[in-house]
């Protein structure tokens, strides 16, 4: 028998539209969740007031300042999420101690630099998550983003030698890798492992 059954959920059928709406709601919920997390991290504590404020703020941002749709095509990996969380806390504590030492050290004038790092997984979601994770750690701040080439420009504190620049670039790549291994798709994980060191932007 030839032809297409109208109830088979083909690309133009109603099933596709229902799944599309469900996917958009899922993406919006994930976006609000990340905004709530960032809001609470910026306040420095998780409270019911900060949670409610983050939900209201995140919803307002998505309603009044709509961004291009960012589709979550990956999957959550508990082991990767745990590794990311532990390493994030370690980096946060280590960087906080380092910045505090610089602040109280008499006569020490730290030098700063801006490094450009092109991400290997060039999706809007990976670009946003990597930039947020880096900016939350003291001593590192994303000052510019080139979406077309997926390049992050990071301001790094206390750069004393060329090896510090290389270490800063490796830190960005390490954060990207942990994020992809936590929430990336199988194809993105394979791409990352197949291309461990991309060329630097000129």
């Amino acid at each position: 028998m030839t032809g297409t059954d109208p109830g088979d959920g083909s690309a133009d059928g109603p099933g596709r539209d229902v799944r599309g709406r469900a996917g958009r709601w899922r993406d919006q919920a994930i976006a609000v969740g990340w905004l709530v997390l960032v809001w609470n991290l910026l306040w420095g504590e998780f409270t019911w007031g900060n949670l409610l404020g983050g939900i209201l703020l995140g919803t307002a941002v998505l309603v009044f300042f709509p961004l291009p749709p960012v589709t979550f095509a990956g999957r959550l990996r508990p082991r990767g999420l745990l590794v990311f969380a532990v390493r994030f806390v370690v980096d946060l504590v280590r960087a906080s101690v380092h910045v505090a030492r610089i602040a109280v050290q008499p006569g020490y004038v730290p030098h700063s630099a801006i490094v450009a790092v092109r991400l290997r997984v060039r999706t809007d979601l990976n670009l946003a998550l990597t930039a947020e994770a880096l900016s939350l750690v003291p001593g590192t701040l994303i000052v510019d983003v080139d979406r077309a080439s997926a390049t992050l420009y990071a301001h790094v504190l206390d750069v004393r030698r060329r090896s510090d620049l290389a270490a800063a670039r490796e830190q960005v790549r390490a954060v990207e890798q942990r994020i992809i291994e936590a929430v990336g798709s199988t194809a993105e994980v394979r791409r990352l492992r197949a291309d461990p060191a991309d060329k630097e932007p000129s």
Side-chain angles (χ1 to χ4, degrees):
M1 181 178 178
T2 60
T4 303
D5 185 2
D8 63 355
S10 60
D12 296 327
R16 172 103 178 170
D17 186 56
V18 171
R19 287 193 296 271
R21 286 198 300 269
R24 287 192 295 270
W25 278 107
R26 182 197 63 180
D27 294 340
Q28 296 287 343
I30 292 174
V32 171
W34 279 108
L35 290 172
V36 171
L37 176 62
V38 171
W39 179 256
N40 281 267
L41 289 174
L42 290 174
W43 276 102
E45 60 179 348
F46 288 87
T47 64
W48 287 110
N50 287 342
L51 180 62
L52 180 59
I55 293 174
L56 293 176
L57 180 65
T59 303
V61 168
L62 294 179
V63 170
F64 296 107
F65 304 98
L67 298 174
V70 178
T71 302
F72 177 68
R75 63 187 184 91
L76 300 180
R77 296 178 176 85
R79 182 177 181 276
L81 288 170
L82 179 61
V83 170
F84 173 79
V86 171
R87 287 300 303 270
F88 178 78
V89 171
V90 171
D91 290 343
L92 190 64
V93 172
R94 183 182 300 166
S96 299
V97 172
H98 182 66
V99 172
R101 181 184 63 80
I102 292 175
V104 300
Q105 186 173 350
Y108 182 73
V109 180
H111 297 281
S112 302
I114 295 178
V115 297
V117 183
R118 183 178 293 121
L119 301 186
R120 291 159 289 179
V121 177
R122 302 180 181 183
T123 64
D124 288 344
L125 183 61
N126 181 49
L127 195 67
L129 294 181
T130 304
E132 289 289 350
L134 289 167
S135 294
L136 288 171
V137 176
T140 305
L141 180 66
I142 301 300
V143 296
D144 197 9
V145 175
D146 186 348
R147 184 185 178 199
S149 63
T151 300
L152 296 179
Y153 294 86
H155 179 273
V156 183
L157 182 66
D158 195 23
V159 176
R160 287 171 287 183
R161 56 186 71 89
R162 294 186 63 87
S163 60
D164 293 336
L165 298 176
R169 293 190 178 97
E170 288 304 317
Q171 179 188 3
V172 175
R173 294 193 184 99
V175 171
E176 179 196 17
Q177 180 167 351
R178 290 195 289 270
I179 288 174
I180 294 300
E181 290 179 347
V183 298
S185 66
T186 303
E188 290 171 344
V189 172
R190 284 200 301 263
R191 186 188 318 166
L192 205 66
R193 292 174 179 172
D195 187 17
D198 201 359
K199 293 181 180 179
E200 293 303 319
S202 57

